[in-house]
Amino acid sequence: MAKRLWVERNKDGSWDAFSDDGAHIKFGKGRGQFTPGDLMKVALAGCAALSSEFAVEHALGEGKGAKIVVDGTYDADNDAYINFNEQVVVDATDAGLSQEDADKLKERVTRHIEKGCTVKHTYEQETPVRMEVTIRH
């Protein structure tokens, strides 16, 4: 079973998300806060970053990684994102790669993300959400 997560409202109107293992993030709709839609993009970018990490470090050295930028097209009529655009940039300028090695790295990074990014796999299919509302009184 996946890690259990929950959110709680703060007095200032922001929210905190928690996990059973101690992770924490603040979010909301205020200035300087991630919205839930932003967190969807963070999840996609973060998944690509973690999925590509091995390929990038193997080619460029420990501690190296990609910069992933994600944006999306929001459909206000349906209150949903209709697509996401993900740009993965690996800065290999200091590595002195040949064009052939750069092409191989691009292919490995792509393959790792295509194979290992659960968030991307989930977004690419219809994913039912079951919801239950409980009112304690």
Side-chain angles (χ1 to χ4, degrees), residues 36-51:
D38 294 336
L39 292 174
M40 291 174 62
K41 296 176 209 169
V42 168
L44 185 58
C47 191
L50 293 175
S51 296

Side-chain angles (χ1 to χ4, degrees), residues 7-10 12-17 24-40 81:
V7 299
E8 296 176 3
R9 180 104 191 245
N10 296 307
D12 68 358
S14 66
W15 292 77
D16 287 309
H24 169 253
I25 189 169
K26 186 181 233 38
F27 68 98
K29 291 186 177 182
R31 189 173 191 279
Q33 297 175 344
F34 288 116
T35 66
D38 294 336
L39 292 174
M40 291 174 62
Y81 283 94

Side-chain angles (χ1 to χ4, degrees), residues 47-59 61 63-66 112-113:
C47 191
L50 293 175
S51 296
S52 66
E53 183 176 22
F54 176 80
V56 174
E57 283 191 336
H58 182 74
K64 299 293 184 179
H112 278 257
I113 293 170

Side-chain angles (χ1 to χ4, degrees), residues 41-118:
K41 296 176 209 169
V42 168
L44 185 58
C47 191
L50 293 175
S51 296
S52 66
E53 183 176 22
F54 176 80
V56 174
E57 283 191 336
H58 182 74
L60 303 179
E62 189 174 334
K64 299 293 184 179
K67 176 180 180 179
I68 294 105
V69 178
V70 175
D71 63 15
T73 304
Y74 178 72
D75 176 2
D77 292 338
N78 293 304
D79 189 29
Y81 283 94
I82 58 173
N83 65 48
F84 292 104
N85 302 301
E86 186 171 35
Q87 182 181 17
V88 180
V89 179
V90 178
D91 185 355
T93 54
D94 295 341
L97 298 179
S98 67
Q99 184 61 52
E100 181 182 347
D101 288 339
D103 291 343
K104 286 179 183 177
L105 177 56
K106 178 180 179 177
E107 194 257 309
R108 280 193 309 270
V109 166
T110 301
R111 195 172 60 241
H112 278 257
I113 293 170
E114 291 292 334
K115 181 180 178 188
C117 185
T118 304

